[in-house]
Amino acid sequence: MPDLSYVSALVLHAIASGQGYGFQIMEAAGLPSGTVYPALRKLEKANLIRSQWEPAAVAHAEQRPPRRYYQVTGDAEVALATAGRKYRLPEFARKD
Amino acid sequence: MRVPFESRALLSVASALAPPALREDWRREWDAEIWWWMGSRTGGRLQLAAHCSGALSDAAYLRYTQTDLPGSIAGVRRSPATCLAALGVLIAAVVAGSGLSETRRVLRGEPFGGRRIVVLSQSLPFMGAHYGVSLGKLADWNARAQSIDGAALFVNRLGVVYVGAKFFEILGTKPAWGTLSGNGVVISYPAWRKRFRGAPAALKDAGVIGVLPHDFWFLGERADVWMLSVPADLKQASAVATLKPGFSPAQARNELRELAAQVRPVSSGTAVIVEPIVRLSARPFTTLGLPWLALVVGVCVASAAVYRRTPRYAAYLAFKSALALTLVLVATIEFGSSWMTINSGETNLAAGVASLWIFLAGPAAALYWCWRDQAVRCRICLHRLVMPVTFGEGARILLERAGTELMCPNGHGTLITGDGADPASQWEPMDGSWRELFVNK
């Protein structure tokens, strides 16, 4: 299990709270894009999150570009518990 | 929604940085990101650009973690564009380093403008090398010639240029300080600034009577010290003179030759040279320009003829050679023109040898390098070939081949370069069955 930095733990915590795509995660975590996106890549590489493109039809119906949604994996729970003991993570309003 | 220019530019740069295999997905995600930002935020263009700058760190992170960085750098080094870009950068460096001062000077006709100044010298019966005129002959021409006015000698000895009394007057040079006539030492403007910190008082103490102007130029001569005197042991020197109205350089040459023959028979083959200084100052262009053009045309024709079955390969060789020759041309004109204008005074074979060396060795080295580089490039994609594998031993094998086998990094084919007695190269295209191995390259 990788030792998460505060930023990675915050981003993972935001995703676990239901913030699904990049912009939403940035808004919730209060971090700039140049910090959030590398953290997302890092978490995905560590298999703590996985990503999936939403169906084009959904985006088309809402007249917007398709989003890439992020979800936590099973390993994320343990990593978040470890990070929770190490850092004080804020409470996010759950989106799901 | 239209994304402002600066944000689009940032995204494009970042997109180029992202690994090719992930680029499409990466760009889609960022396009959605920007779309969402513009729809929900009221910030201005700067805030959006700051937001987009995050794409750079995202792409850099992906490039760093998801790709083989050393492999990517090696791939860039091997690419045909890198070679051309390197030549372009070298040309730009020469242009920036020199400011194209020689080229601009010749194009503007500086610094002699409308003056009808000629340089007098003689040529040897062999090789056509220039050398000076005897001082007695110069004095005789000054006294009797109708076509020229006031010849003043000049000669460079160990970095000090000795000139006749009227030398600067003939050139029309105005001093930056003091006077440029009489008897004494004149120094260049850079020497004045560097050694005397531009102070006139110190010059008087050092016995300097004048300072040349900052834009003084005389046939590429870069001496700091100019003596308005003639060395006691001087036997011959070149000279500058003003051509009188109504006389051409050819008429002056005929007259001076006749005057010289009246005093003493001239050795056969020795010729009096009367050359306009404007033509001399443009000599690097006239000497190098035509051979450059001929070489470029020659390389284009030869490439097209030798590699007629692979026109892209031939065009690359021609373009690369033209760039390399242009680099040599610009560097020689800007940095070597002082060697190519005239030997200043007594016989100075080094000037001829140096200019000949640049003239021959520069283009030869450039073309040799182009040919060597081209020989190890893929005939299809023009990337430099990789994975050299040597086989056989040239000295031990009688009937079999020995050499090196190289492979195209994109799987287009292999090149077998012969060794020793079998120097021929052989290009073997790879068929489609090999492509699978190179899919991720």
Side-chain angles (χ1 to χ4, degrees):
Chain A
M1 190 62 55
D3 194 13
L4 295 180
S5 67
Y6 176 73
V7 168
S8 299
L10 190 60
V11 170
L12 184 63
H13 181 50
I15 298 169
S17 305
Q19 321 295 331
Y21 54 92
F23 191 76
Q24 217 174 31
I25 298 164
M26 281 167 46
E27 290 278 274
L31 294 170
S33 58
T35 305
V36 167
Y37 273 94
L40 287 171
R41 314 299 178 211
K42 205 170 171 181
L43 291 170
E44 196 167 15
K45 199 176 178 194
N47 285 323
L48 296 177
I49 60 172
R50 58 173 172 266
S51 64
Q52 193 175 15
W53 285 97
E54 71 173 337
V58 176
H60 189 69
E62 294 182 18
Q63 293 188 323
R64 58 172 175 76
R67 291 172 187 151
R68 185 176 192 172
Y69 281 103
Y70 293 90
Q71 285 178 310
V72 290
T73 62
D75 294 343
E77 203 174 315
V78 182
L80 266 178
T82 311
R85 285 195 289 276
K86 197 172 169 187
Y87 310 113
R88 185 192 293 256
L89 297 171
E91 284 298 318
F92 295 122
R94 290 198 70 82
K95 292 272 175 163
D96 50 4
Chain B
M1 250 181 281
R2 185 160 177 79
V3 180
F5 165 76
E6 61 280 358
S7 297
R8 269 186 290 137
L10 277 168
L11 275 181
S12 299
V13 172
S15 180
L17 193 60
L22 306 173
R23 193 170 289 154
E24 196 182 335
D25 260 10
W26 180 92
R27 187 65 197 243
R28 274 175 71 201
E29 186 170 16
W30 270 96
D31 282 342
E33 173 72 37
I34 302 300
W35 185 91
W36 193 252
W37 196 97
M38 291 180 74
S40 61
R41 290 278 179 94
T42 52
R45 292 174 65 152
L46 272 180
Q47 282 93 332
L48 178 60
H51 181 66
C52 289
S53 67
L56 285 172
S57 51
D58 183 27
Y61 179 82
L62 279 177
R63 170 69 76 166
Y64 181 72
T65 55
Q66 308 263 335
T67 59
D68 166 23
L69 202 58
S72 301
I73 293 169
V76 170
R77 265 183 34 226
R78 287 193 294 265
S79 103
T82 303
C83 177
L84 300 182
L87 284 170
V89 167
L90 283 175
I91 293 173
V94 171
V95 169
S98 64
L100 288 184
S101 56
E102 287 294 318
T103 308
R104 286 190 287 125
R105 182 184 53 70
V106 170
L107 290 178
R108 289 200 298 248
E110 290 177 349
F112 307 109
R115 289 174 174 271
R116 303 184 74 218
I117 302 167
V118 288
V119 175
L120 313 177
S121 60
Q122 293 186 119
S123 70
L124 286 171
F126 61 94
M127 290 175 69
H130 288 207
Y131 70 106
V133 181
S134 72
L135 297 197
K137 204 180 279 180
L138 270 180
D140 183 50
W141 288 349
N142 257 338
R144 295 200 294 150
Q146 300 297 311
S147 55
I148 59 165
D149 196 12
L153 63 87
F154 64 93
V155 60
N156 185 325
R157 283 191 163 182
L158 301 173
V160 175
V161 183
Y162 294 84
V163 298
K166 283 186 163 182
F167 180 79
F168 294 111
E169 189 188 322
I170 290 168
L171 296 184
T173 310
K174 305 284 181 219
W177 176 86
T179 178
L180 299 180
S181 58
N183 215 327
V185 179
V186 169
I187 61 170
S188 68
Y189 192 84
W192 183 41
R193 301 298 302 179
K194 196 174 165 188
R195 296 184 189 174
F196 298 94
R197 298 184 180 175
L203 292 177
K204 284 178 187 164
D205 296 341
V208 176
I209 63 165
V211 176
L212 292 169
H214 69 92
D215 58 350
F216 175 74
W217 186 91
F218 179 69
L219 301 177
E221 185 62 78
R222 288 166 207 256
D224 279 339
V225 180
W226 297 68
M227 298 287 292
L228 281 162
S229 64
V230 179
D233 62 336
L234 187 68
K235 298 282 191 298
Q236 55 188 28
S238 298
V240 289
T242 307
L243 205 59
K244 283 185 180 170
F247 286 94
S248 67
Q251 287 170 318
R253 187 177 60 237
N254 292 338
E255 187 200 14
L256 297 183
R257 191 190 298 147
E258 281 170 20
L259 291 176
Q262 285 169 15
V263 175
R264 187 178 160 193
V266 179
S267 335
S268 95
T270 303
V272 174
I273 309 287
V274 178
E275 195 154 15
I277 199 164
V278 177
R279 193 188 301 164
L280 270 177
S281 67
R283 180 171 282 176
F285 288 84
T286 51
T287 309
L288 295 177
L290 276 177
W292 172 82
L293 190 64
L295 278 173
V296 169
V297 171
V299 167
C300 290
V301 171
S303 310
V306 174
Y307 301 112
R308 59 184 178 279
R309 287 181 187 172
T310 48
R312 196 161 165 258
Y313 186 77
Y316 183 75
L317 174 61
F319 189 59
K320 180 171 58 179
S321 305
L323 274 182
L325 288 170
T326 303
L327 172 66
V328 172
L329 175 78
V330 176
T332 308
I333 284 175
E334 292 301 323
F335 300 124
S337 61
S338 60
W339 293 330
M340 304 193 63
T341 45
I342 187 174
N343 62 75
S344 54
E346 294 163 307
T347 305
N348 180 3
L349 287 175
V353 171
S355 58
L356 188 71
W357 173 250
I358 297 174
F359 183 57
L360 293 179
L367 290 178
Y368 179 69
W369 175 81
C370 288
W371 177 75
R372 287 292 300 263
D373 177 70
Q374 190 76 8
V376 290
R377 285 191 179 274
C378 170
R379 273 49 173 170
I380 312 297
C381 67
L382 302 174
H383 278 70
R384 279 180 73 91
L385 303 173
V386 293
M387 293 171 65
V389 177
T390 55
F391 61 91
E393 286 185 64
R396 295 189 181 183
I397 293 175
L398 186 60
L399 298 174
E400 303 227 351
R401 290 200 75 174
T404 306
E405 183 175 353
L406 295 134
M407 184 183 286
C408 168
N410 297 316
H412 291 118
T414 59
L415 180 77
I416 296 171
T417 57
D419 206 9
D422 179 16
S425 294
Q426 191 180 345
W427 172 254
E428 293 282 350
M430 283 176 168
D431 61 34
S433 63
W434 290 90
R435 289 292 144 76
E436 202 180 327
L437 285 174
F438 299 90
V439 159
N440 293 322
K441 293 298 286 182

